[in-house]
Amino acid sequence: MSAPKGKRVYLTWTDEMDSALLAVLVEHHNNGDHAQNGWKPHVYNAAIKNVRDKCNVEITKDNITSRCKTFDKHYEIISKILSQSGFGWDWDNNKLSMDSDDVWNRYVEGNKAAICYKTKVVKNWDAICTIYSTDHANGKGARTGAEDAQDSPEQDGDASPDLPPKRQRTGDAILCMLGDMKTSFNDALKSTEPLPMPQVTPPAEILAALQMIPDLGRCDMLKSYGKLILNERLFQALMELPMDMRKEWLLMLNEKNSN
């Protein structure tokens, strides 16, 4: 993409381009293709090719980095809202749902950065959850798919105030601490260090991952959801499988447990 000398080129992202980009990022996220500060080089190349092939648009690594920062911002703000009582996600209309305007007004009093999200449409929420929830849950400083050292002047209509530093999301970790704690009781007594909290995947991420599995029936999805929210290891095992093997594995799991 070229431009007159001295002028910047601004890229406007379409829904089609977002879908093409996120399809590649989800696939490589599940394969663990992350570098220390972003994606591995071949992931950028695959994303550039997929957007070119499906949308006939030329993009660059900087374009991808900038767009990933937008996705990361969406996840940080929306997931924080969804963790509060009175909020949900409207999958049909791709936006927040809430019990009442009073619930929203009370929330934004202390969260000004969220004001524009009351009616904001954010498509591909399931893919965004899949990619970004792990980094936020682990409290990593490096963003998946976004390199902090780069800040491309992309214009996508989603600019917002600076976000506060990330904090570790413990979720409902206390519910499974006894089962998942890696440090033995004796070692814990000897240690003066605080006990590590086990990672717990938010239910919204588990649901999003199940909804991405092709042709998974509603009943099988609900059975699988009931198992995966109670067993972190099962969800980790699911996410290690290629997409085309996940449905078969879940059906075998459901059948085994029903016998």
Side-chain angles (χ1 to χ4, degrees):
M1 188 176 295
S2 60
K5 186 176 181 181
K7 292 188 178 181
R8 292 178 177 177
V9 176
Y10 293 96
L11 180 68
T12 299
W13 286 84
T14 65
D15 293 342
E16 184 182 20
M17 292 166 62
D18 279 346
S19 296
L21 171 60
L22 286 167
V24 173
L25 298 187
V26 168
E27 177 184 356
H28 287 277
H29 166 83
N30 293 336
N31 292 335
D33 290 338
H34 299 140
Q36 183 176 1
N37 292 320
W39 297 101
K40 293 181 180 178
H42 70 274
V43 179
Y44 291 106
N45 295 334
I48 289 171
K49 182 179 184 301
N50 200 44
V51 172
R52 179 197 304 128
D53 292 347
K54 293 186 176 179
C55 309
N56 195 29
V57 176
E58 292 291 340
I59 62 172
T60 66
K61 177 181 177 181
D62 285 345
N63 296 147
I64 295 172
T65 298
S66 179
R67 193 59 176 162
C68 284
K69 289 181 180 180
T70 295
F71 294 146
D72 186 60
K73 178 199 68 176
H74 289 338
Y75 180 81
E76 183 164 350
I77 294 178
I78 294 175
S79 62
K80 183 179 178 182
I81 296 173
L82 293 176
S83 70
Q84 306 299 310
S85 176
F87 293 99
W89 187 254
D90 183 344
W91 292 98
D92 293 327
N93 296 304
N94 303 298
K95 63 180 183 178
L96 287 167
S97 61
M98 58 205 70
D99 291 347
S100 66
D101 286 340
D102 288 341
V103 170
W104 174 256
N105 292 335
R106 287 196 297 271
Y107 180 80
V108 296
E109 282 181 5
N111 299 274
K112 302 300 183 183
I115 290 177
C116 66
Y117 281 83
K118 182 178 183 182
T119 59
K120 187 177 187 64
V121 173
V122 177
K123 297 184 179 180
N124 303 297
W125 177 240
D126 50 353
I128 292 173
C129 283
T130 298
I131 297 170
Y132 293 96
S133 60
T134 301
D135 280 350
H136 286 256
N138 291 340
K140 293 180 181 178
R143 298 178 179 181
T144 301
E147 300 176 21
D148 292 335
Q150 297 179 336
D151 188 11
S152 176
E154 304 289 329
Q155 180 175 330
D156 54 29
D158 289 320
S160 72
D162 291 339
L163 299 174
K166 290 182 176 62
R167 295 177 297 177
Q168 184 173 1
R169 290 168 52 87
T170 58
D172 297 325
I174 192 67
L175 297 179
C176 66
M177 183 185 301
L178 293 178
D180 291 344
M181 190 67 69
K182 296 180 180 178
T183 304
S184 70
F185 180 70
N186 289 336
D187 289 340
L189 290 178
K190 298 175 184 178
S191 175
T192 59
E193 297 295 325
L195 296 177
M197 296 294 285
Q199 175 184 337
V200 178
T201 305
E205 180 184 348
I206 295 175
L207 179 60
L210 291 173
Q211 290 175 325
M212 295 181 66
I213 300 175
D215 302 322
L216 182 63
R218 180 184 180 91
C219 182
D220 291 318
M221 181 183 298
L222 292 175
K223 288 181 180 179
S224 302
Y225 177 77
K227 293 178 175 64
L228 297 180
I229 62 174
L230 297 177
N231 193 317
E232 184 70 24
R233 292 296 298 275
L234 282 180
F235 180 68
Q236 293 174 356
L238 172 68
M239 299 306 290
E240 289 298 322
L241 290 173
M243 184 63 73
D244 61 355
M245 297 176 61
R246 294 182 185 181
K247 177 183 176 181
E248 183 179 358
W249 185 78
L250 287 174
L251 295 180
M252 291 172 60
L253 181 66
N254 291 338
E255 181 180 358
K256 177 181 178 182
N257 290 342
S258 62
N259 292 334

